[in-house]
mmCIF file with all atom_site columns, all heavy atoms in Angstrom:
data_model
loop_
_atom_site.group_PDB
_atom_site.id
_atom_site.type_symbol
_atom_site.label_atom_id
_atom_site.label_alt_id
_atom_site.label_comp_id
_atom_site.label_asym_id
_atom_site.label_entity_id
_atom_site.label_seq_id
_atom_site.pdbx_PDB_ins_code
_atom_site.Cartn_x
_atom_site.Cartn_y
_atom_site.Cartn_z
_atom_site.occupancy
_atom_site.B_iso_or_equiv
_atom_site.pdbx_formal_charge
_atom_site.auth_seq_id
_atom_site.auth_comp_id
_atom_site.auth_asym_id
_atom_site.auth_atom_id
_atom_site.pdbx_PDB_model_num
ATOM 1  N N   . GLY H 1 109 ? 29.529 24.339 247.938 1.00 85.00 ? 109 GLY H N   1
ATOM 2  C CA  . GLY H 1 109 ? 28.340 24.299 247.036 1.00 85.00 ? 109 GLY H CA  1
ATOM 3  C C   . GLY H 1 109 ? 27.005 24.447 247.735 1.00 85.00 ? 109 GLY H C   1
ATOM 4  O O   . GLY H 1 109 ? 25.988 24.033 247.236 1.00 85.00 ? 109 GLY H O   1
ATOM 5  N N   . GLY H 1 110 ? 26.972 25.057 248.918 1.00 87.00 ? 110 GLY H N   1
ATOM 6  C CA  . GLY H 1 110 ? 25.696 25.290 249.612 1.00 87.00 ? 110 GLY H CA  1
ATOM 7  C C   . GLY H 1 110 ? 24.835 26.303 248.870 1.00 87.00 ? 110 GLY H C   1
ATOM 8  O O   . GLY H 1 110 ? 25.245 26.845 247.814 1.00 87.00 ? 110 GLY H O   1
ATOM 9  N N   . VAL H 1 111 ? 23.657 26.628 249.418 1.00 92.00 ? 111 VAL H N   1
ATOM 10 C CA  . VAL H 1 111 ? 22.764 27.586 248.793 1.00 92.00 ? 111 VAL H CA  1
ATOM 11 C C   . VAL H 1 111 ? 23.064 28.985 249.360 1.00 92.00 ? 111 VAL H C   1
ATOM 12 O O   . VAL H 1 111 ? 23.165 29.124 250.578 1.00 92.00 ? 111 VAL H O   1
ATOM 13 C CB  . VAL H 1 111 ? 21.292 27.208 249.066 1.00 92.00 ? 111 VAL H CB  1
ATOM 14 C CG1 . VAL H 1 111 ? 20.316 28.244 248.511 1.00 92.00 ? 111 VAL H CG1 1
ATOM 15 C CG2 . VAL H 1 111 ? 20.988 25.822 248.488 1.00 92.00 ? 111 VAL H CG2 1
ATOM 16 N N   . SER H 1 112 ? 23.161 29.976 248.505 1.00 96.00 ? 112 SER H N   1
ATOM 17 C CA  . SER H 1 112 ? 23.427 31.318 248.951 1.00 96.00 ? 112 SER H CA  1
ATOM 18 C C   . SER H 1 112 ? 22.190 31.927 249.607 1.00 96.00 ? 112 SER H C   1
ATOM 19 O O   . SER H 1 112 ? 21.097 31.818 249.045 1.00 96.00 ? 112 SER H O   1
ATOM 20 C CB  . SER H 1 112 ? 23.885 32.202 247.792 1.00 96.00 ? 112 SER H CB  1
ATOM 21 O OG  . SER H 1 112 ? 24.059 33.537 248.318 1.00 96.00 ? 112 SER H OG  1
ATOM 22 N N   . GLN H 1 113 ? 22.383 32.575 250.778 1.00 95.00 ? 113 GLN H N   1
ATOM 23 C CA  . GLN H 1 113 ? 21.275 33.301 251.408 1.00 95.00 ? 113 GLN H CA  1
ATOM 24 C C   . GLN H 1 113 ? 21.378 34.777 251.081 1.00 95.00 ? 113 GLN H C   1
ATOM 25 O O   . GLN H 1 113 ? 20.626 35.586 251.615 1.00 95.00 ? 113 GLN H O   1
ATOM 26 C CB  . GLN H 1 113 ? 21.370 33.132 252.926 1.00 95.00 ? 113 GLN H CB  1
ATOM 27 C CG  . GLN H 1 113 ? 21.181 31.712 253.396 1.00 95.00 ? 113 GLN H CG  1
ATOM 28 C CD  . GLN H 1 113 ? 21.609 31.534 254.849 1.00 95.00 ? 113 GLN H CD  1
ATOM 29 O OE1 . GLN H 1 113 ? 21.722 32.484 255.624 1.00 95.00 ? 113 GLN H OE1 1
ATOM 30 N NE2 . GLN H 1 113 ? 21.824 30.272 255.249 1.00 95.00 ? 113 GLN H NE2 1
ATOM 31 N N   . LEU H 1 114 ? 22.335 35.132 250.210 1.00 96.00 ? 114 LEU H N   1
ATOM 32 C CA  . LEU H 1 114 ? 22.585 36.539 249.955 1.00 96.00 ? 114 LEU H CA  1
ATOM 33 C C   . LEU H 1 114 ? 22.128 37.011 248.578 1.00 96.00 ? 114 LEU H C   1
ATOM 34 O O   . LEU H 1 114 ? 22.630 37.973 248.004 1.00 96.00 ? 114 LEU H O   1
ATOM 35 C CB  . LEU H 1 114 ? 24.109 36.802 250.093 1.00 96.00 ? 114 LEU H CB  1
ATOM 36 C CG  . LEU H 1 114 ? 24.623 36.671 251.535 1.00 96.00 ? 114 LEU H CG  1
ATOM 37 C CD1 . LEU H 1 114 ? 26.114 36.457 251.580 1.00 96.00 ? 114 LEU H CD1 1
ATOM 38 C CD2 . LEU H 1 114 ? 24.221 37.911 252.342 1.00 96.00 ? 114 LEU H CD2 1
ATOM 39 N N   . GLY H 1 115 ? 21.115 36.322 248.047 1.00 97.00 ? 115 GLY H N   1
ATOM 40 C CA  . GLY H 1 115 ? 20.575 36.676 246.743 1.00 97.00 ? 115 GLY H CA  1
ATOM 41 C C   . GLY H 1 115 ? 20.427 35.438 245.859 1.00 97.00 ? 115 GLY H C   1
ATOM 42 O O   . GLY H 1 115 ? 20.939 34.390 246.203 1.00 97.00 ? 115 GLY H O   1
ATOM 43 N N   . ARG H 1 116 ? 19.623 35.615 244.768 1.00 97.00 ? 116 ARG H N   1
ATOM 44 C CA  . ARG H 1 116 ? 19.413 34.483 243.860 1.00 97.00 ? 116 ARG H CA  1
ATOM 45 C C   . ARG H 1 116 ? 19.913 34.876 242.452 1.00 97.00 ? 116 ARG H C   1
ATOM 46 O O   . ARG H 1 116 ? 19.522 35.961 241.973 1.00 97.00 ? 116 ARG H O   1
ATOM 47 C CB  . ARG H 1 116 ? 17.949 34.127 243.761 1.00 97.00 ? 116 ARG H CB  1
ATOM 48 C CG  . ARG H 1 116 ? 17.403 33.528 245.072 1.00 97.00 ? 116 ARG H CG  1
ATOM 49 C CD  . ARG H 1 116 ? 15.927 33.221 244.938 1.00 97.00 ? 116 ARG H CD  1
ATOM 50 N NE  . ARG H 1 116 ? 15.737 31.906 244.279 1.00 97.00 ? 116 ARG H NE  1
ATOM 51 C CZ  . ARG H 1 116 ? 15.701 30.753 244.907 1.00 97.00 ? 116 ARG H CZ  1
ATOM 52 N NH1 . ARG H 1 116 ? 15.854 30.705 246.199 1.00 97.00 ? 116 ARG H NH1 1
ATOM 53 N NH2 . ARG H 1 116 ? 15.510 29.616 244.240 1.00 97.00 ? 116 ARG H NH2 1
ATOM 54 N N   . TRP H 1 117 ? 20.692 34.048 241.895 1.00 98.00 ? 117 TRP H N   1
ATOM 55 C CA  . TRP H 1 117 ? 21.249 34.338 240.579 1.00 98.00 ? 117 TRP H CA  1
ATOM 56 C C   . TRP H 1 117 ? 20.470 33.569 239.485 1.00 98.00 ? 117 TRP H C   1
ATOM 57 O O   . TRP H 1 117 ? 19.996 32.463 239.723 1.00 98.00 ? 117 TRP H O   1
ATOM 58 C CB  . TRP H 1 117 ? 22.698 33.916 240.563 1.00 98.00 ? 117 TRP H CB  1
ATOM 59 C CG  . TRP H 1 117 ? 23.383 33.989 239.188 1.00 98.00 ? 117 TRP H CG  1
ATOM 60 C CD1 . TRP H 1 117 ? 23.764 35.137 238.535 1.00 98.00 ? 117 TRP H CD1 1
ATOM 61 C CD2 . TRP H 1 117 ? 23.702 32.913 238.333 1.00 98.00 ? 117 TRP H CD2 1
ATOM 62 N NE1 . TRP H 1 117 ? 24.344 34.818 237.335 1.00 98.00 ? 117 TRP H NE1 1
ATOM 63 C CE2 . TRP H 1 117 ? 24.324 33.470 237.175 1.00 98.00 ? 117 TRP H CE2 1
ATOM 64 C CE3 . TRP H 1 117 ? 23.546 31.520 238.395 1.00 98.00 ? 117 TRP H CE3 1
ATOM 65 C CZ2 . TRP H 1 117 ? 24.778 32.688 236.112 1.00 98.00 ? 117 TRP H CZ2 1
ATOM 66 C CZ3 . TRP H 1 117 ? 23.988 30.742 237.346 1.00 98.00 ? 117 TRP H CZ3 1
ATOM 67 C CH2 . TRP H 1 117 ? 24.594 31.331 236.192 1.00 98.00 ? 117 TRP H CH2 1
ATOM 68 N N   . MET H 1 118 ? 20.363 34.189 238.318 1.00 98.00 ? 118 MET H N   1
ATOM 69 C CA  . MET H 1 118 ? 19.821 33.473 237.179 1.00 98.00 ? 118 MET H CA  1
ATOM 70 C C   . MET H 1 118 ? 20.704 33.800 235.980 1.00 98.00 ? 118 MET H C   1
ATOM 71 O O   . MET H 1 118 ? 21.142 34.953 235.805 1.00 98.00 ? 118 MET H O   1
ATOM 72 C CB  . MET H 1 118 ? 18.374 33.952 236.883 1.00 98.00 ? 118 MET H CB  1
ATOM 73 C CG  . MET H 1 118 ? 17.676 33.144 235.779 1.00 98.00 ? 118 MET H CG  1
ATOM 74 S SD  . MET H 1 118 ? 15.952 33.681 235.511 1.00 98.00 ? 118 MET H SD  1
ATOM 75 C CE  . MET H 1 118 ? 15.043 32.512 236.477 1.00 98.00 ? 118 MET H CE  1
ATOM 76 N N   . SER H 1 119 ? 20.974 32.781 235.148 1.00 98.00 ? 119 SER H N   1
ATOM 77 C CA  . SER H 1 119 ? 21.814 33.041 233.955 1.00 98.00 ? 119 SER H CA  1
ATOM 78 C C   . SER H 1 119 ? 21.014 33.756 232.887 1.00 98.00 ? 119 SER H C   1
ATOM 79 O O   . SER H 1 119 ? 19.803 33.620 232.832 1.00 98.00 ? 119 SER H O   1
ATOM 80 C CB  . SER H 1 119 ? 22.337 31.692 233.395 1.00 98.00 ? 119 SER H CB  1
ATOM 81 O OG  . SER H 1 119 ? 21.223 31.027 232.770 1.00 98.00 ? 119 SER H OG  1
ATOM 82 N N   . PRO H 1 120 ? 21.697 34.523 232.010 1.00 98.00 ? 120 PRO H N   1
ATOM 83 C CA  . PRO H 1 120 ? 20.952 35.202 230.955 1.00 98.00 ? 120 PRO H CA  1
ATOM 84 C C   . PRO H 1 120 ? 20.161 34.232 230.059 1.00 98.00 ? 120 PRO H C   1
ATOM 85 O O   . PRO H 1 120 ? 19.054 34.568 229.639 1.00 98.00 ? 120 PRO H O   1
ATOM 86 C CB  . PRO H 1 120 ? 22.081 35.874 230.129 1.00 98.00 ? 120 PRO H CB  1
ATOM 87 C CG  . PRO H 1 120 ? 23.213 36.057 231.095 1.00 98.00 ? 120 PRO H CG  1
ATOM 88 C CD  . PRO H 1 120 ? 23.131 34.861 232.041 1.00 98.00 ? 120 PRO H CD  1
ATOM 89 N N   . GLU H 1 121 ? 20.691 33.030 229.833 1.00 98.00 ? 121 GLU H N   1
ATOM 90 C CA  . GLU H 1 121 ? 20.006 32.036 228.974 1.00 98.00 ? 121 GLU H CA  1
ATOM 91 C C   . GLU H 1 121 ? 18.691 31.588 229.646 1.00 98.00 ? 121 GLU H C   1
ATOM 92 O O   . GLU H 1 121 ? 17.633 31.545 229.024 1.00 98.00 ? 121 GLU H O   1
ATOM 93 C CB  . GLU H 1 121 ? 20.858 30.813 228.738 1.00 98.00 ? 121 GLU H CB  1
ATOM 94 C CG  . GLU H 1 121 ? 22.125 31.066 227.861 1.00 98.00 ? 121 GLU H CG  1
ATOM 95 C CD  . GLU H 1 121 ? 23.228 31.792 228.620 1.00 98.00 ? 121 GLU H CD  1
ATOM 96 O OE1 . GLU H 1 121 ? 23.244 31.837 229.881 1.00 98.00 ? 121 GLU H OE1 1
ATOM 97 O OE2 . GLU H 1 121 ? 24.089 32.361 227.940 1.00 98.00 ? 121 GLU H OE2 1
#
Side-chain angles (χ1 to χ4, degrees):
V111 176
S112 177
Q113 296 166 18
L114 291 161
R116 293 179 82 87
W117 173 75
M118 186 179 263
S119 72
E121 293 75 17

